[in-house]
Amino acid sequence: MNLTKIRKDVAVVGAGMTVFARRLQETGKEMSWEAAKMALDEAGLTLKDIDAVILGSAPDAFDGVHKKGDWLLDGAGGTNKPFMRVYTGGGTAVFAPIAGWWHVASGMFKRVLVVCEEKMSSVQPHAQSAFAHIWDPILDRPLKPNLVWIFAMEMQRYMHKYNVRYEDIALVAVKNKRNAVGHPCAQLADPNITLDDVINSEPMALPVRRLDISPPSDGASAIVLVSEDVAYEHTDTPVWIDGVGWCIDTTMWTNRDLAFPKFVARAAKMAYEMAGIKNPRKEIDFAEPYDPFDYKELQHLEGLLLADPGEAAIMTREGKTQRDGEFPVCPSGGLLGVGNPIAATLGIKIGEVYWQLARKAGPRQVKKDVRTGVTQAWGDLMQFSAVIVMRRR
Amino acid sequence: MSKSQKFGPPLNPRGRRLEAKELESITHVRAKTPAKYAWAAGTAMSRFLEELKNGKIIGRKCARCNRVLVPPRMFCERCFAPTTEWVYLPGTGVVETFSISYIDTNANRIKEPILVGTIAFDGAPPHCGIMHYFGEVKPEELKIGMPVEPVWKPKEERVGSVLDIKYFRPRQK
């Protein structure tokens, strides 16, 4: 693998995102347009300046319309341009930006727009009916599974193997829902939430309770990526994508030890090597890992080699991962606080790292001076991960 | 704090919050997508299902890495080589992980929890097995590492489905 001789450095110069909520009125296309326009406006560009467009969106089953790529095309600004849709489940939020990155890094395109959209409210009565189609039809579906089951099983395995307490995991939900206060797009911000609220929330699939889970949502997010050749024409504060990595484990999830996400570590090592990071704990200032469940933030921090297995829970208990802590994690409020319109979480992952490093995060700005951030998303049948390292120079 | 405060509108709502029914009545079109499928069980899984009818759990051995793959596959995804041999497993194993679910497949709440998890089979590599239900055990007694055995449906009721196993229970002997 060549992780050093990339032709062009790639910078983020603009980002946008819509309110995350159950948005019954707007179509996915309308939300895509809203987010894309915001990102272009922040970059000071119009669609004419854009050479190619990447669209990220999760299962077609949410919309009941196949080929969601061209279904959303007009809203994403891809008409009459080189255009592609990428999809890696929840991983799309960070993988679509990686697809945008290689378009620019190859030297082929100077300015690329990446738009991610999700509208989960169309499917009736609940997004679960679409999730039901994720399972293996022969082995799993006869058991009438609910998607939450596999996460509950993974969480149980994680707690067991690394001796992690449920109370420490629940603290992640408290932190992120509080962090989301001040995020203009947040669906589940709660300034007063307590540990007891999470612990006493109704059981879903134990050990998972209602407040351990991020909610289904509708929304869209977008970023503008540009080549080093033009970055400073658009802004004085470009934020550079210095490392990317992605990796997928086997679909045979009942053949894996679910306690440690090896595929996250592989993706992270790839991104760190490209970014020249030798000691991630020392060289990275904050993280936006994927947090659709509270335990996932911990497991992902460990997969990202920012904590030893089980240690992320202790860091959380000690307050180190708070926004003003020594290693802020999910200062955006994450999926738990802002919401989980699957692919559209781009706005709270790479979007947040961009806003933090460009010092544009407003009330969410972390206290310490941050120069290097990492973001990560996780998807497919809990087997895929994409990682991006970003820096302000 | 009351429930409505907790799950109320976002802090910075744009516009008026619309009730779902109010909006749907004028802005939505309802439709069903009637698609039906006949999935191939596949070379390996067909044999697996056939043996379930006989009350047996089988795996497929990769001659290169020596793993016994359960569920069986005709090729090893790691070695990218054909698997070569059927292996009969005792059917017993341990609880690899589990959940006590108060929601059904459509996210409806249920009173009696479903006990579900994965079983790591004896005779297979560590952590390898299938997902299934647990029975004849109280939720609070279910533990990772607990030895379990399958409880089969009566032979005449088996149809070659993963449901030919009713559930796994704590091993009796």
Side-chain angles (χ1 to χ4, degrees):
Chain A
M1 229 183 315
N2 164 27
L3 300 178
T4 49
K5 285 192 177 172
I6 307 297
R7 281 164 178 259
K8 296 288 180 190
D9 281 358
V10 182
V12 181
V13 294
M17 68 187 282
T18 70
V19 169
F20 286 0
R22 188 163 181 239
R23 300 181 59 157
L24 293 172
Q25 191 160 30
E26 296 93 341
T27 62
K29 229 179 265 193
E30 288 168 341
M31 292 191 297
S32 300
W33 180 84
E34 198 186 323
K37 185 74 170 70
M38 276 193 257
L40 288 170
D41 285 351
E42 191 182 301
L45 295 173
T46 67
L47 191 57
K48 275 188 194 160
D49 305 311
I50 295 297
D51 300 328
V53 175
I54 307 296
L55 175 84
S57 199
D60 290 350
F62 285 148
D63 299 62
V65 177
H66 291 294
K67 311 189 285 105
K68 240 162 101 176
D70 59 70
W71 168 247
L72 298 167
L73 166 74
D74 294 353
T79 313
N80 290 321
K81 291 186 193 294
F83 174 82
M84 75 178 287
R85 173 199 179 184
V86 295
Y87 168 47
T88 54
T92 309
V94 172
F95 187 64
I98 291 179
W101 170 86
W102 76 57
H103 276 66
V104 179
S106 65
M108 204 167 167
F109 301 103
K110 280 199 169 70
R111 298 173 188 90
V112 168
L113 175 65
V114 181
V115 183
C116 279
E117 179 274 354
E118 214 67 67
K119 187 172 171 73
M120 300 170 74
S121 64
S122 303
V123 58
Q124 303 291 316
H126 189 272
Q128 274 300 334
S129 340
F131 285 134
H133 300 276
I134 284 173
W135 299 88
D136 182 277
I138 310 296
L139 263 178
D140 296 337
R141 285 196 214 183
L143 296 166
K144 298 200 173 106
N146 182 299
L147 194 63
V148 179
W149 287 5
I150 47 173
F151 308 121
M153 291 181 219
E154 191 180 54
M155 178 169 166
Q156 189 86 268
R157 183 82 204 156
Y158 171 68
M159 291 165 68
H160 172 82
K161 185 155 181 183
Y162 301 125
N163 202 18
V164 172
R165 300 191 314 175
Y166 173 72
E167 290 76 10
D168 291 338
I169 292 175
L171 280 174
V172 174
V174 176
K175 168 176 72 72
N176 290 3
K177 287 174 198 294
R178 287 185 177 213
N179 276 357
V181 176
H183 199 304
C185 305
Q187 181 174 8
L188 278 187
D190 186 343
N192 301 315
I193 190 170
T194 65
L195 181 58
D196 281 345
D197 291 336
V198 181
I199 292 175
N200 297 324
S201 62
E202 54 183 332
M204 303 286 278
L206 291 175
V208 173
R209 292 173 179 274
R210 179 169 293 283
L211 292 180
D212 296 316
I213 313 186
S214 56
S217 189
D218 302 342
S221 300
I223 50 168
V224 177
L225 301 177
V226 300
S227 155
E228 62 185 43
D229 298 337
V230 295
Y232 288 98
E233 292 174 18
H234 303 301
T235 177
D236 295 332
T237 54
V239 174
W240 299 92
I241 294 180
D242 279 351
V244 301
W246 64 102
C247 183
I248 188 164
D249 203 338
T250 173
T251 306
M252 288 286 172
W253 64 276
T254 59
N255 282 188
R256 294 198 274 125
D257 186 347
L258 300 173
F260 183 81
K262 287 181 193 161
F263 53 97
V264 177
R266 290 203 180 99
K269 282 176 186 167
M270 182 176 162
Y272 296 160
E273 185 182 337
M274 189 187 288
I277 288 177
K278 296 207 165 53
N279 185 342
R281 290 183 190 215
K282 280 194 179 153
E283 295 173 60
I284 294 172
D285 302 319
F286 74 106
E288 268 289 342
Y290 210 59
D291 63 321
F293 292 76
D294 41 17
Y295 80 97
K296 289 309 296 183
E297 173 172 313
L298 304 179
Q299 223 189 9
H300 287 154
L301 282 176
E302 292 160 14
L304 288 166
L305 313 173
L306 298 167
D308 288 338
E311 190 191 357
I314 298 164
M315 287 166 64
T316 305
R317 190 197 310 155
E318 292 174 346
K320 288 179 181 166
T321 59
Q322 295 283 346
R323 187 184 281 137
D324 57 0
E326 63 183 68
F327 189 82
V329 179
C330 289
S332 67
L335 282 62
L336 287 163
V338 185
N340 186 6
I342 303 182
T345 57
L346 170 146
I348 42 178
K349 291 303 149 194
I350 188 169
E352 182 71 9
V353 176
Y354 160 70
W355 282 314
Q356 290 285 349
L357 291 175
R359 295 195 183 92
K360 291 178 178 173
R364 303 188 312 281
Q365 189 68 47
V366 303
K367 242 184 190 171
K368 69 174 191 175
D369 181 39
V370 286
R371 305 194 74 86
T372 305
V374 64
T375 185
Q376 171 262 349
W378 166 78
D380 289 334
L381 197 60
M382 53 179 193
Q383 67 193 130
F384 173 84
S385 195
V387 176
I388 293 182
V389 175
M390 296 172 80
R391 283 199 192 97
R392 189 181 72 224
R393 291 179 186 162
Chain B
M1 194 176 10
S2 79
K3 199 169 176 178
S4 64
Q5 272 176 304
K6 255 196 214 166
F7 298 104
L11 292 184
N12 298 288
R14 293 181 193 160
R16 181 169 72 92
R17 188 178 177 87
L18 290 160
E19 290 306 319
K21 276 187 185 158
E22 175 190 10
L23 191 62
E24 280 187 8
S25 64
I26 49 165
T27 61
H28 282 65
V29 173
R30 291 185 166 270
K32 273 190 180 174
T33 309
K36 292 190 174 178
Y37 298 88
W39 287 298
T43 320
M45 280 307 296
S46 296
R47 174 80 193 272
F48 180 80
L49 297 175
E50 192 62 33
E51 291 289 354
L52 288 179
K53 261 188 182 168
N54 300 327
K56 302 278 183 199
I57 291 167
I58 58 168
R60 205 49 204 168
K61 191 169 183 176
C62 172
R64 290 208 191 170
C65 67
N66 264 332
R67 286 194 306 158
V68 176
L69 305 178
V70 203
R73 283 89 91 180
M74 296 312 287
F75 58 90
C76 171
E77 77 278 4
R78 288 192 197 162
C79 304
F80 226 54
T83 52
T84 50
E85 192 188 331
W86 292 102
V87 178
Y88 284 80
L89 299 173
T92 53
V94 296
V95 176
E96 167 78 8
T97 184
F98 67 93
S99 171
I100 298 160
S101 182
Y102 288 90
I103 47 173
D104 71 6
T105 187
N106 293 317
N108 298 311
R109 298 205 64 76
I110 46 176
K111 282 220 168 103
E112 279 302 308
I114 300 166
L115 306 185
V116 65
T118 59
I119 295 95
F121 284 124
D122 295 336
H127 318 296
C128 275
I130 60 170
M131 173 169 72
H132 219 294
Y133 303 127
F134 298 110
E136 297 180 42
V137 59
K138 288 182 189 153
E140 60 273 21
E141 288 167 356
L142 198 53
K143 293 278 182 300
I144 288 177
M146 176 185 268
V148 288
E149 63 185 14
V151 175
W152 298 89
K153 279 184 181 166
K155 190 152 196 208
E156 60 278 10
E157 289 176 27
R158 292 181 211 151
V159 294
S161 153
V162 69
L163 296 177
D164 288 352
I165 302 170
K166 287 207 279 191
Y167 49 76
F168 284 76
R169 68 176 177 194
R171 211 177 300 169
Q172 306 290 298
K173 50 190 174 193

